[in-house]
Structures are given as structure tokens and as C-alpha cells.
Amino acid sequence: MFGSFYFGGCSEWSEFKETILRLLEDAGFTDSEDEFTVSTNGFTLFFQEGGHGVVFASEDYGVELKYNGYIDIIVSYPEWAFELMEFTGRLLTRLDGDCVLELNDKPILLRKDKVVCVDDKKLSGTARFPFHGLNLDYVEGDLS
């Protein structure tokens, strides 16, 4: 399984990376000129500034985005979904800005104008996605 995480806001690239490091302080990370990678038990995040994905997601969802994150999910780790939601919620609490989270090219979370909207209808799982792990107020909607 894979995901995409797009984030906007006023934070500079260095501040964005620093915030992620503080949130996932026990994770392994590598930092190059072009890419910032963070590995946890449940997923690996590969972040870049800009790119085609950011442009397309900005247009598709009508939001201003700056950073493009690819998520390689380790589905054999049973807590990956909750931990991904927990990380996302903590990031959204610390940084202002719009964002989009997709799993297997299906949008499941959108923050636009400070409102978090979630949608797990297009995921093939039988259980509800653990959005409660965000620890944020959210509304359920249709992100098609």
C-alpha cells in the first residue's frame, strides 16, 4: 500500500523538516538536498519541496500546497494506520496550512480553510479507518 501527503502553509522547507523530526524523534531519517526521508515501524515518508504532484493536487483540491510526500506503508505492521493518523494530527496541530492525504490514489483527508474533512468510503477495508487517531475535530464528507 502507498500514500501521498501534500502540505501547504507558510512554513519554510527547513521548518517543515524540523517539525517532522520533532514529531517523529524516534524515527530514522536521511536528509539530502532534494529529499527528506523518515522511517517508522509502520511507514516511510519521502518528502520533497514542490514538484508535479503538488501542482496537480493543488489544482484538483483547490488548495495551496508546497510539499510532496510519498508514503510507503508497511501493511504487515498492524498499527500503521493509527500511527499515520496520529502523526498527521500532530503535524496539523503544529503547522498551519492546507493538506491532502491519499491512500492508493484515493483521497481520505483534506484540510482546507482550517477544516479537516475525512472520507474512507473508497478504501476497500471492512473496518472504519482510525481517524480518531488524529485527535482533532473533523467532519466526514465526500472527497471524490
Side-chain angles (χ1 to χ4, degrees), residues 46-116:
F46 305 89
F47 283 107
Q48 294 180 319
E49 188 173 17
H52 295 297
V54 168
V55 173
F56 295 135
S58 293
E59 291 173 0
D60 288 348
Y61 298 103
V63 292
E64 292 290 323
L65 301 168
K66 293 169 61 173
Y67 308 119
N68 179 4
Y70 176 80
I71 308 167
D72 184 16
I73 296 168
I74 303 164
V75 293
S76 61
Y77 182 70
E79 296 297 316
W80 72 265
F82 181 80
E83 289 181 11
L84 180 61
M85 289 299 95
E86 190 174 53
F87 162 73
T88 302
R90 290 171 57 209
L91 182 66
L92 296 180
T93 299
R94 295 227 173 38
L95 296 176
D96 287 330
D98 296 332
C99 77
V100 176
L101 175 62
E102 300 174 336
L103 292 181
N104 291 345
D105 290 329
K106 297 169 183 76
I108 66 162
L109 183 145
L110 170 69
R111 180 164 81 176
K112 182 176 181 177
D113 301 325
K114 299 184 180 187
V115 175
V116 176

Side-chain angles (χ1 to χ4, degrees), residues 2 15 22 24 26 29 33 42-43 54 56 61 63 87 89 92 99-100 105 118 120-121 126 141 143:
F2 67 94
E15 180 186 0
R22 275 188 253 122
L24 297 172
D26 294 335
F29 72 93
E33 193 173 311
F43 51 87
V54 168
F56 295 135
Y61 298 103
V63 292
F87 162 73
L92 296 180
C99 77
V100 176
D105 290 329
V118 299
D120 66 354
K121 291 184 295 292
T126 56
L143 298 178

